[in-house]
Amino acid sequence: MSSQNSTDSEAIIVAEGVEKWYDNSFHVLQGVSLSVNKQEVVVMMGPSGSGKSTFIRTFNALEPYQKGSIVIDGIKLSHDLKNIDAIRREVGMVFQQFNLFPHLTVLDNVTLAPIWVRRWKKQKAEEVAMQLLERVGILEQAHKYPGQLSGGQQQRVAIARALAMQPKIMLFDEPTSALDPEMVREVLDVMRTLANSGMTMVCVTHEVGFAREVADRVVFMDSGKIVEIAPPDEFFNHPKEERTQRFLSQIL
């Protein structure tokens, strides 16, 4: 087994011994431990059903867990709603599906949370939103509705919307898997730019090129457990675990 925790004391995510069951029968997370440092990019890979998406969803309480502990930026994740709200303000998330409000313009989708949650004035929210839309390359789409955009454009809106809350951590749950192949690159380019800017990121993805180029570490999960953690060069070229080798033989 590879070391499961990074050595730097600057950990912003610390998960220890996380256990989760579905319906008291399916043991989806089996004592998973991982720490992620500030400004680190961690890519999580593994077969379907391995628990990787469930695991990152525990970081912002979208999925409850039954045992273990999770601390996000010094805040212990518990049933305390104040703690959950505090963590969610610092953790942005981009999903496989875009989850945009179809009846709101792109600009209104991006400004909604800062106005209601951060209590920003509309002018400030719109100024920040326009900057973010320019950053993700779709400023000209600001006054269109989601249905008028391509899938890649909608996912970039979803990224801008998550960034509008000025999170310290961004979680990506297979953000390109619902996209046509030609649209994948434009979303990955935005994610690369975000990673290069120093954003702490945890990404569930099968995009090997992205993982090789951007990840500080790659985490491989199978059957609810972490099997191996390594820097990308070591992970893809010299995997230690036989299960990792089998997985990579299927996707490389």
Side-chain angles (χ1 to χ4, degrees):
M1 287 276 176
S2 301
S3 171
Q4 300 202 349
N5 292 319
S6 51
T7 56
D8 198 311
S9 61
E10 289 290 297
I12 193 169
I13 300 172
V14 180
E16 295 183 337
V18 177
E19 308 252 356
K20 177 177 176 62
W21 288 263
Y22 284 128
D23 301 324
N24 297 317
S25 56
F26 179 43
H27 198 178
V28 62
L29 296 176
Q30 302 182 30
V32 183
S33 296
L34 177 72
S35 68
V36 178
N37 290 334
K38 293 174 182 175
Q39 301 190 319
E40 187 177 21
V41 179
V42 171
V43 168
M44 304 199 67
M45 307 188 89
S48 178
S50 60
K52 54 195 186 297
S53 291
T54 301
F55 184 45
I56 71 162
R57 285 166 175 254
T58 63
F59 295 168
N60 59 359
L62 286 179
E63 290 277 1
Y65 61 98
Q66 282 78 47
K67 287 185 179 179
S69 70
I70 297 175
V71 177
I72 306 292
D73 195 26
I75 303 171
K76 186 173 176 61
L77 186 57
S78 65
H79 296 299
D80 187 325
L81 293 179
K82 283 186 178 178
N83 281 14
I84 291 173
D85 286 344
I87 286 170
R88 286 180 174 170
R89 280 195 291 272
E90 306 302 340
V91 180
M93 188 154 193
V94 178
F95 301 88
Q96 183 175 341
Q97 304 300 331
F98 321 124
N99 297 330
L100 301 175
F101 293 108
H103 62 292
L104 298 180
T105 64
V106 165
L107 183 61
D108 288 339
N109 265 281
V110 177
T111 59
L112 189 65
I115 289 172
W116 285 95
V117 179
R118 294 282 192 199
R119 303 293 188 208
W120 287 2
K121 289 198 165 37
K122 185 177 181 183
Q123 181 181 353
K124 177 183 178 180
E126 289 188 346
E127 286 174 1
V128 171
M130 296 298 272
Q131 291 168 6
L132 289 170
L133 291 172
E134 183 174 24
R135 184 176 176 183
V136 300
I138 48 170
L139 180 61
E140 72 283 358
Q141 312 294 344
H143 300 291
K144 291 184 179 179
Y145 289 88
Q148 297 174 282
L149 306 183
S150 70
Q153 289 171 328
Q154 289 187 61
Q155 192 62 294
R156 284 187 280 166
V157 174
I159 293 173
R161 179 182 59 183
L163 290 174
M165 286 290 287
Q166 299 185 333
K168 294 180 180 177
I169 301 164
M170 284 285 286
L171 308 177
F172 293 87
D173 188 6
E174 303 203 33
T176 60
S177 61
L179 299 177
D180 292 333
E182 63 268 23
M183 295 176 185
V184 169
R185 173 175 287 277
E186 61 192 58
V187 173
L188 291 179
D189 283 346
V190 171
M191 293 171 64
R192 285 187 183 94
T193 301
L194 196 56
N196 291 334
S197 76
M199 174 65 75
T200 305
M201 296 167 58
V202 183
C203 313
V204 174
T205 183
H206 291 298
E207 299 291 342
V208 172
F210 174 80
R212 284 184 187 274
E213 181 184 342
V214 177
D216 294 297
R217 290 181 297 155
V218 181
V219 177
F220 176 63
M221 285 188 71
D222 186 39
S223 302
K225 298 177 181 177
I226 289 179
V227 176
E228 185 161 352
I229 302 179
D233 182 61
E234 183 182 327
F235 180 84
F236 289 109
N237 297 322
H238 308 288
K240 292 183 173 63
E241 302 296 327
E242 189 269 339
R243 181 64 188 94
T244 313
Q245 294 165 12
R246 285 207 321 271
F247 175 75
L248 291 173
S249 72
Q250 299 292 320
I251 66 167
L252 295 181

